[in-house]
Amino acid sequence: MAERKAAAEASADPDFLQANDLACEAVGGKVIFATDEWFAPAANLLKRETPTFSPSAFHEFGKLMDGWETRRRRTAGHDWCIVELGVPGQIQGLDVDTSFFTGNHSPGVSVQASCLDKPPSFSLEGDRTGMAASDAQLAAVAELRSEAWPELVCVSELKPGYSDSCHNYFKVNFKHRVTHLRLNMHPDGGIARLRAYGVGQRDWSSVSTQQEVDLVAMTNGGVCLGYSDAHFGHPRNMIGLGRAANMADGWETARRLDRPKYLKVDQRGILQVPGWEWTVFRLGTPGLIRRVEIDTNHFRGNFPDSCRIDVCSLTPEEEAQCVGTKWSSVAWGVLLPPQKLRPHHRHLYGEAQLAPTHPVTHVRLTISPDGGVSRLRLWGRPTAPTAAPLANQERPASKL
């Protein structure tokens, strides 16, 4: 029987978990150096999938672990690795996950960061299990002077990898753009995953106001700020790179329990139901949205019946207030009226379907009654920040 997280426990999760994982291999993150990878390679740190464990899995170097595990150090120093973020940006928090490392986890950790003008010329290739850094690799990485990088997390204790203690969360208060992280073990051992939650940063001064870009893409600074349900998949997946790899690479909710016993539709074929699910995003920059893409790729028997998109323009202070009230007091304006959706299909909407608006900063995607969406794209032109009211503001309707 699956374990269910208690509501009180879930509410204790840090807010930064809403943000994007800027280090994940799925967005281009990679480990470019590691001092030692005897039992398991450091590349495992950045896997999208949650860690797994096989009691009977061994290889010639010892126990096979789904993470980064170094040998028991018998020389001076400590083990460390360098991670190149897939999406450079501002880090808000870290999760150093020790899942399944129960008698072999690293006792301590620290994390440093830097913004490099150009990426290092070296990297790690192939299976690194059973290997350690060569003299040439040590000489190359020494040029980065990573031991002097600013600290995001000072030397801190790590908890062992049992289910109730494996997530070691660290809030980060570092306002600068980051391209690379140095993860330090103190002194050795195992870490299953490193998640670097934050917001991508793009130099918008180099983007013409006549250029059409995806304003909500994580690479352009889009970020999820709230949602009603994410039982099977987090909404932040929808602003990831490319098309979704599978259903897990999208937003999927549980089936709503308030669905009528017998379903009815209106003249457009849209289900008439009392409930819906929603998620809110901040755009990477204020902009005028000209085209919308709703992709239900892979969602064949669990796609939403319909969707709508609402928009607003908020200052940072207003955003903070809305986050505190879980977006219950926002006056939204309609961008995309309710639309019937199809399974496993890329839905494209242009200016003929979209209501005209002023430049906006935030969007709300509502699906009814429940289901999964793999990608959300909001194509438009960046504009200067504005607090102008929307032409068609309205309070949320009782249903789609």
Side-chain angles (χ1 to χ4, degrees):
M1 181 179 293
E3 295 182 6
R4 185 168 59 187
K5 204 171 192 179
E9 182 183 350
S11 64
D13 287 344
D15 293 339
F16 63 71
L17 295 184
Q18 304 296 338
N20 307 311
D21 181 3
L22 305 183
C24 182
E25 64 177 8
V27 300
K30 56 186 178 180
V31 176
I32 63 172
F33 172 84
T35 54
D36 185 87
E37 300 170 272
W38 182 265
F39 291 107
N44 289 339
L45 288 169
L46 309 184
K47 286 182 178 178
R48 177 202 293 273
E49 296 80 16
T50 56
T52 59
F53 180 74
S54 174
S56 60
F58 286 83
H59 52 61
E60 61 179 306
F61 302 104
K63 182 71 183 75
L64 179 64
M65 296 294 291
D66 186 9
W68 174 36
E69 186 181 4
T70 69
R71 73 191 81 195
R72 302 190 188 209
R73 195 174 184 93
R74 299 297 185 250
T75 59
H78 62 88
D79 288 312
W80 52 280
C81 69
I82 299 288
V83 173
E84 183 178 298
L85 299 183
V87 179
Q90 183 178 339
I91 304 297
Q92 298 177 340
L94 299 165
D95 177 13
V96 182
D97 184 350
T98 58
S99 289
F100 303 112
F101 288 96
T102 54
N104 52 349
H105 70 289
S106 177
V109 69
S110 65
V111 182
Q112 298 164 270
S114 182
C115 183
L116 303 182
D117 294 332
K118 59 180 181 179
S121 58
F122 56 85
S123 187
L124 300 178
E125 303 295 339
D127 183 7
R128 301 280 303 172
T129 307
M131 299 182 69
S134 66
D135 291 341
Q137 290 169 332
L138 287 166
V141 78
E143 296 183 7
L144 298 181
R145 294 185 54 81
S146 60
E147 70 280 359
W149 289 357
E151 278 191 336
L152 301 187
V153 178
C154 63
V155 179
S156 303
E157 179 184 359
L158 284 182
K159 299 186 292 281
Y162 300 104
S163 60
D164 61 348
S165 64
C166 60
H167 291 288
N168 297 267
Y169 296 127
F170 300 98
K171 186 174 182 179
V172 172
N173 184 24
F174 189 71
K175 304 303 182 184
H176 304 287
R177 184 174 184 264
V178 171
T179 61
H180 291 74
L181 298 174
R182 172 171 161 148
L183 175 66
N184 301 296
M185 288 184 180
H186 296 286
D188 55 37
I191 295 172
R193 296 290 187 271
L194 173 67
R195 309 292 190 197
Y197 293 102
V199 180
Q201 290 187 335
R202 179 171 182 176
D203 180 9
W204 289 102
S205 64
S206 62
V207 181
S208 168
T209 55
Q210 301 304 308
Q211 180 179 344
E212 201 171 72
V213 298
D214 182 0
L215 298 169
V216 77
M218 69 172 295
T219 52
N220 291 331
V223 64
C224 178
L225 296 177
Y227 59 87
S228 58
D229 183 89
H231 190 84
F232 295 110
H234 199 285
R236 62 168 168 260
N237 293 335
M238 292 190 292
I239 61 174
L241 277 64
R243 296 195 77 188
N246 48 46
M247 287 195 304
D249 188 17
W251 174 39
E252 186 181 359
T253 73
R255 301 192 193 206
R256 291 190 63 91
L257 300 181
D258 58 0
R259 288 166 294 145
K261 298 295 186 294
Y262 299 95
L263 299 174
K264 297 180 180 180
V265 299
D266 64 10
Q267 64 276 14
R268 295 179 56 197
I270 294 178
L271 287 178
Q272 299 301 285
V273 291
W276 59 87
E277 306 293 354
W278 58 268
T279 182
V280 173
F281 291 91
R282 183 208 305 143
L283 303 183
T285 187
L288 286 165
I289 300 172
R290 301 294 183 87
R291 293 187 293 123
V292 169
E293 177 181 327
I294 305 288
D295 192 356
T296 57
N297 190 27
H298 303 297
F299 291 101
R300 293 178 171 87
N302 50 351
F303 63 99
D305 174 71
S306 60
C307 75
R308 67 179 285 168
I309 296 178
D310 302 296
V311 292
C312 66
S313 186
L314 301 174
T315 65
E317 294 75 20
E318 290 169 334
E319 177 193 284
Q321 182 179 4
C322 291
V323 170
T325 61
K326 299 191 181 301
W327 300 93
S328 61
S329 59
V330 184
W332 295 99
V334 176
L335 174 68
L336 179 68
Q339 303 290 323
K340 183 79 173 179
L341 296 178
R342 295 164 56 187
H344 190 56
H345 183 74
R346 180 181 278 175
H347 307 77
L348 304 175
Y349 306 103
E351 294 186 359
Q353 292 89 16
L354 303 183
T357 68
H358 290 281
V360 299
T361 59
H362 295 70
V363 299
R364 179 183 65 179
L365 171 64
T366 303
I367 59 173
S368 179
D370 48 44
V373 175
S374 62
R375 289 293 185 266
L376 170 66
R377 306 296 187 201
L378 302 175
W379 299 95
R381 297 177 179 175
T383 62
T386 178
L390 296 171
N392 57 340
Q393 281 185 340
E394 63 173 35
R395 292 289 178 179
S398 60
K399 60 183 178 181
L400 284 174

